[in-house]
């Protein structure tokens, strides 16, 4: 097994951080979709109640 240079280790860290950023982004987008759906549901319910 060969030793990694500091540059290689830094590259590995960047790749790992990039993967974490992508996962975090996916989680944020999923949460935004959930909140958007909840908002739409509440808004539809409000409009329904106002129309009664």
């Amino acid at each position: 097994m060969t030793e990694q240079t500091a540059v290689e280790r830094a590259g590995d860290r960047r790749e790992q951080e990039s993967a974490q950023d992508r996962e975090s982004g996916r989680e944020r987008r999923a949460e935004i979709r959930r909140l958007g759906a909840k908002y739409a549901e509440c808004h539809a319910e409000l409009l329904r109640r106002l129309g009664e």
Side-chain angles (χ1 to χ4, degrees), residues 34-49:
R34 283 190 294 273
L35 291 173
K38 185 175 182 177
Y39 173 85
E41 182 181 336
C42 291
H43 190 253
E45 175 67 12
L46 175 64
L47 293 177
R48 185 187 66 76
R49 287 181 183 200

Side-chain angles (χ1 to χ4, degrees), residues 19-31:
Q20 290 169 343
D21 288 345
R22 284 190 300 274
E23 179 63 25
S24 178
R26 280 191 288 271
E27 291 170 358
R28 283 192 306 270
R29 287 187 295 278
E31 179 67 11

